[in-house]
Amino acid sequence: MAFDKLANFFGMNDEEDDYTAAEQPENPNKEVRKNNVVSINSPQPRTSQRSEIKVIEPRRYADAKEIAKDLLNNRAVLVNLKNVSEEQMRRITDFLTGTVFAINGDIRRVDDHVFLYTPTNFEIDNGTDNFTE
């Protein structure tokens, strides 16, 4: 008796299931997936599209939205903030920092008013290991 219940649970019994109208599956047209296993770490196909770094000198806070769109489209952006006030620089930097955080990207300060914002598919090498003194 216990083995029969266990066999039924694992679908190992030889009896065919006869459904009455009340016992019909809720969605008989639903497709059943069979053994669709995909590795999470499978390599992504390489595209022939070149990576690019866009250089932008925003003039107002509203330009930050366009920079964020570039980041969301997997483009790195070099932002020169020398043409904006300190207040606008702070607001733009805060907005883009949130964007980079959301996409798991990275930020590097290049100069006093120049920042490199990169999406997650870019790797920034700071170059300190390449030089000997």
Side-chain angles (χ1 to χ4, degrees), residues 47-100:
T47 61
S48 61
Q49 182 181 8
R50 293 178 17 196
S51 296
E52 48 182 67
I53 298 176
K54 197 168 184 180
V55 179
I56 298 178
E57 291 185 24
R59 305 246 183 236
R60 55 197 165 101
Y61 175 71
D63 294 337
K65 184 177 178 181
E66 295 304 315
I67 298 169
K69 285 181 182 179
D70 286 324
L71 289 166
L72 292 172
N73 288 320
N74 291 320
R75 286 188 208 102
V77 184
L78 187 67
V79 180
N80 185 346
L81 296 168
K82 71 178 182 178
N83 295 322
V84 295
S85 68
E86 284 291 322
E87 177 63 25
Q88 288 177 328
M89 181 176 157
R90 193 173 305 112
R91 290 182 69 204
I92 290 170
T93 303
D94 288 345
F95 182 81
L96 294 176
T97 299
T99 302
V100 168

Side-chain angles (χ1 to χ4, degrees), residues 24-33:
Q24 286 290 333
E26 288 184 31
N27 189 355
N29 296 330
K30 187 175 180 181
E31 183 180 322
V32 178
R33 293 185 177 210

Side-chain angles (χ1 to χ4, degrees), residues 9-56:
F9 178 77
F10 286 108
M12 296 171 44
N13 61 352
D14 292 332
E15 300 173 13
E16 290 186 18
D17 293 326
D18 293 326
Y19 293 107
T20 64
E23 296 174 331
Q24 286 290 333
E26 288 184 31
N27 189 355
N29 296 330
K30 187 175 180 181
E31 183 180 322
V32 178
R33 293 185 177 210
K34 297 179 183 178
N35 238 355
N36 291 338
V37 179
V38 178
S39 173
I40 293 175
N41 296 324
S42 64
Q44 298 296 321
R46 291 191 160 204
T47 61
S48 61
Q49 182 181 8
R50 293 178 17 196
S51 296
E52 48 182 67
I53 298 176
K54 197 168 184 180
V55 179
I56 298 178

